[in-house]
Amino acid sequence: MFNLVATGLSAVALLVTLYSAVSQAGLQRRSNQLPAYVDLLADFRSAEFHERYSFVTQRLLAEYDPTLGLSGLPNDVRRQVYDIVYYYQNISVLRLADIVDDEMVALLRIRVVKVWDAVAPFVLREREVMGTDGRYLLRGLEDMAHEARHMPQDLIDQLMHVSRTQPAWRRHRAALRRRAALRQLTAPRVPPPAAE
């Protein structure tokens, strides 16, 4: 009888320890996210950021030739473009590192798509000029825009609901499943090789 009670108490202690560890991991993850969010929001709140965003999304393609690439743009224009594209590129990098969640993509999806659509011809030309022979320059931004463009509305609604109602560990687990499903949904279709 004593062994049964001792085993039961050990099991309860183990469960309490596991719960504490999971809770602590969630708190640590949120504490890692906070500085990133604060930095991103500081830029996002400035009027200059929104002026640069408007320039990039509304005037860049109309006023400058994409065959210049990014490096061929005048210095002041290139600075504005870099400020905007690398802001969103940084969000994509933080997302890949699991520092920001998919909810950020859901919130910024329209802006990300507009930025990529405006700069894509310049970036593609710059890749040619650099001779990278692949999709390296601003690849994170391109991938995030692709996912944002193809994100179904019901998934966006679900992300917004989950972020307000579920504990952090459950959100994280659900985010990993959604990210894998979204990659499958939005992956470019590669035709099967022709039979020889």
Side-chain angles (χ1 to χ4, degrees):
M1 179 69 173
F2 179 74
N3 287 340
L4 188 60
V5 170
T7 303
L9 288 175
S10 295
V12 168
L14 178 63
L15 290 174
V16 167
T17 303
L18 284 172
Y19 178 77
S20 296
V22 169
S23 297
Q24 192 67 20
L27 290 172
Q28 181 65 35
R29 186 167 180 273
R30 280 194 295 267
S31 71
N32 287 342
Q33 290 176 351
L34 189 58
Y37 280 129
V38 169
D39 286 345
L40 292 172
L41 290 175
D43 286 338
F44 201 75
R45 285 193 318 248
S46 76
E48 294 82 15
F49 176 86
H50 293 285
E51 289 170 8
R52 291 188 301 267
Y53 171 82
S54 294
F55 171 78
V56 168
T57 59
Q58 296 171 11
R59 295 178 34 210
L60 181 65
L61 270 171
E63 296 179 15
Y64 295 92
D65 182 8
T67 60
L68 297 170
L70 294 172
S71 58
L73 292 170
N75 287 340
D76 59 328
V77 172
R78 189 172 57 246
R79 235 186 325 274
Q80 291 183 66
V81 172
Y82 281 169
D83 283 348
I84 297 303
V85 297
Y86 280 105
Y87 176 85
Y88 292 103
Q89 172 77 4
N90 288 340
I91 291 174
S92 74
V93 170
L94 292 173
R95 181 173 168 247
L96 288 174
D98 279 337
I99 295 172
V100 297
D101 294 329
D102 288 339
E103 287 85 352
M104 181 73 86
V105 178
L107 287 170
L108 296 175
R109 70 190 181 285
I110 294 169
R111 286 180 161 263
V112 169
V113 169
K114 283 185 174 184
V115 167
W116 177 250
D117 287 348
V119 301
F122 295 90
V123 173
L124 297 175
R125 175 62 183 140
E126 191 68 20
R127 288 175 183 170
E128 291 173 8
V129 169
M130 292 173 63
T132 58
D133 194 33
R135 300 175 352 158
Y136 301 109
L137 178 68
L138 296 168
R139 169 81 183 265
L141 174 62
E142 181 181 12
D143 290 346
M144 190 166 69
H146 178 75
E147 288 181 21
R149 185 185 315 276
H150 295 94
M151 189 177 279
Q153 186 61 45
D154 59 335
L155 178 61
I156 295 165
D157 294 340
Q158 181 185 6
L159 285 169
M160 296 296 91
H161 174 73
V162 165
S163 70
R164 291 188 300 266
T165 61
Q166 289 187 351
W169 66 271
R170 189 173 287 164
R171 280 197 319 263
H172 182 65
R173 189 177 66 191
L176 292 175
R177 283 193 304 257
R178 283 192 309 269
R179 191 172 295 161
L182 185 60
R183 283 195 179 115
Q184 286 178 345
L185 282 173
T186 61
R189 303 290 183 228
V190 178
E196 294 181 20

